[in-house]
Amino acid sequence: MQDELLTIGRFARMCRLSIKQLRHYDETGLLAPARVDAGSGYRYYAPEQARDAPTIALLRDMDLPLAVIARALAAGPESRTLILRAERDRLAERISRDRARLEMLERLAEGGLPGYEVTMGREPERRLAVVRAVCAPAEIGDTVEECVGRLLPGLGQAGVVWEPPLWGLYPLDLEASMEIAVGVRTPREEGLPGLEAEVLPAGLVAETMHIGPYAQLPLAYHALFATLHERGLRPRAPVREAYLVGPAEAPQEELMTRLIIPVQESTA
């Protein structure tokens, strides 16, 4: 048996890895030697292990968690494909977030913090038909799309013609698990099957307009909340976003979003 095995040095050269890497894979439980000499502690590897060793190196270089790599190695071909595709999707999402951050940094580097005109005014009461969902802050974009995918077909099935724009409703604080809603105004006062009613009361608001990608909305929110703080005003939930020009109508740089924060009115 030992004659068929490879020393750790030969195995490392075959796989184009270092001995240190192979020892680390053994210590972390990713790739155990086929045999360890009881007297010397020297490691020996089987030639067929040469398929897993470079795979581990590639997956580690992509920062996949050790537990995920271990599951992929232990899984059959179909399950391994599903595991790796799930990690691919996770990586693609991270790249998308990083790209948005780079664009925001570039915008800040070119002109500093963008100037937003914050105005105070009064909003009328609005009655919306909405769908709700719970998500994390990083999932807002996908969750809004999912909500729209439930909202508009529901209106179509009920034969209701809705009035633009689409509205997004959000809490004041972005928590790990938060409820959001997407809705539209409809000419019908009664409830619609599968949809909920949301009444946005009339009252004082602070608002601004954001032109550009949704990923840069935090810049506009910074301007809004800074203005409220400077004026000693207390914001109220829900925060409202009116999507005046959406992705189906214009490129990212030309998206137009109206941001509205209701304000607690003085009782004095």
Side-chain angles (χ1 to χ4, degrees):
M1 174 68 176
Q2 182 166 331
D3 292 339
E4 300 174 359
L5 299 180
L6 304 171
T7 64
I8 191 172
R10 288 185 60 194
F11 187 73
R13 288 193 295 274
M14 176 187 292
C15 299
R16 302 186 72 181
L17 299 172
S18 69
I19 292 175
K20 181 179 179 181
Q21 283 176 292
L22 291 174
R23 287 174 177 163
H24 178 65
Y25 297 161
D26 181 17
E27 292 166 357
T28 55
L30 290 177
L31 185 66
R35 179 179 178 275
V36 178
D37 186 86
S40 64
Y42 213 75
R43 297 169 171 87
Y44 294 89
Y45 292 82
E48 56 267 25
Q49 290 182 286
R51 178 177 298 177
D52 284 343
T55 300
I56 294 170
L58 285 171
L59 297 179
R60 287 297 296 143
D61 190 53
M62 289 185 281
D63 290 331
L64 263 66
L66 295 177
V68 172
I69 297 175
R71 283 197 297 116
L73 294 175
E78 292 185 5
S79 296
R80 178 181 295 193
T81 296
L82 293 176
I83 292 170
L84 295 181
R85 282 179 176 169
E87 289 303 310
R88 175 203 61 189
D89 294 342
R90 184 183 65 84
L91 179 60
E93 182 181 347
R94 187 179 72 188
I95 290 172
S96 178
R97 291 199 304 269
D98 288 344
R99 185 179 293 114
R101 294 186 181 109
L102 285 172
E103 291 173 355
M104 193 178 301
L105 283 172
E106 181 63 26
R107 184 172 179 181
L108 290 172
E110 287 180 351
L113 194 65
Y116 287 92
E117 181 183 1
V118 177
T119 60
M120 305 298 299
R122 302 197 68 84
E123 281 285 291
E125 178 182 277
R126 287 190 173 88
R127 295 177 178 270
L128 306 181
V130 305
V131 293
R132 305 182 193 278
V134 175
C135 66
E139 302 166 344
I140 288 178
D142 290 339
T143 305
V144 168
E145 289 186 13
E146 184 268 331
C147 286
V148 173
R150 289 192 285 135
L151 174 66
L152 298 187
L155 293 170
Q157 291 171 7
V160 175
V161 179
W162 58 279
E163 302 174 17
L166 279 166
W167 290 83
L169 309 179
Y170 305 95
L172 287 172
D173 299 318
L174 300 183
E175 300 177 346
S177 179
M178 59 184 187
E179 182 180 270
I180 69 171
V182 176
V184 293
R185 294 183 64 186
T186 68
R188 287 170 54 172
E189 293 291 332
E190 70 272 16
L192 297 170
L195 305 178
E196 298 182 43
E198 174 85 16
V199 178
L200 302 179
L204 183 66
V205 301
E207 67 172 281
T208 193
M209 190 71 71
H210 172 73
I211 298 176
Y214 295 139
Q216 296 178 6
L217 281 170
L219 299 173
Y221 276 114
H222 173 81
L224 273 172
F225 282 106
T227 298
L228 293 180
H229 176 73
E230 291 169 359
R231 300 185 183 184
L233 300 173
R234 181 178 299 177
R236 297 167 52 204
V239 173
R240 312 169 190 178
E241 294 180 5
Y243 307 110
L244 306 182
V245 178
E249 305 164 285
Q252 290 284 315
E253 296 73 20
E254 298 175 15
L255 301 182
M256 187 176 297
T257 308
R258 183 180 174 217
L259 280 64
I260 305 168
I261 299 181
V263 174
Q264 180 68 51
E265 298 194 54
S266 174
T267 57

